[in-house]
């Protein structure tokens, strides 16, 4: 989580940049931590594009629940 936070700060300080692409980096996280990571991805998305790839259905459901109910990151 700290690594992703540092990445977010770096991305924001550089201005426009290449997308942040994450390939199944949270599949072993519990539900609460997964929700926190998706919140961080939303915040990162305010500064640049975030692409998260997974084949785990439960993570898709966590992301859908996080973003279907809110307009903010």
């Amino acid at each position: 989580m700290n690594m992703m936070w540092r990445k977010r700060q770096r991305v924001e300080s550089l201005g426009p940049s290449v997308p942040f692409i994450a390939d199944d980096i949270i599949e072993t996280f519990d539900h609460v931590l997964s929700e926190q990571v998706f919140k961080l991805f939303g915040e990162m998305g305010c500064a640049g594009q975030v692409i998260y790839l997974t084949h785990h259905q439960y993570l898709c459901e966590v992301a859908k629940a996080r973003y279907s109910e809110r307009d903010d990151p």
Side-chain angles (χ1 to χ4, degrees), residues 27-71:
E27 76 270 6
T28 60
F29 291 8
D30 65 19
H31 187 82
V32 173
L33 189 53
S34 296
E35 287 179 330
Q36 292 172 353
V37 170
F38 283 119
K39 180 179 183 211
L40 178 60
F41 286 168
E43 293 169 2
M44 290 172 66
C46 292
Q49 186 177 20
V50 176
I51 301 169
Y52 179 68
L53 307 170
T54 187
H55 66 277
H56 296 283
Q57 186 62 36
Y58 75 95
L59 289 173
C60 295
E61 298 304 323
V62 172
K64 285 179 189 176
R66 171 75 181 107
Y67 294 108
S68 66
E69 299 172 3
R70 300 180 177 106
D71 292 332

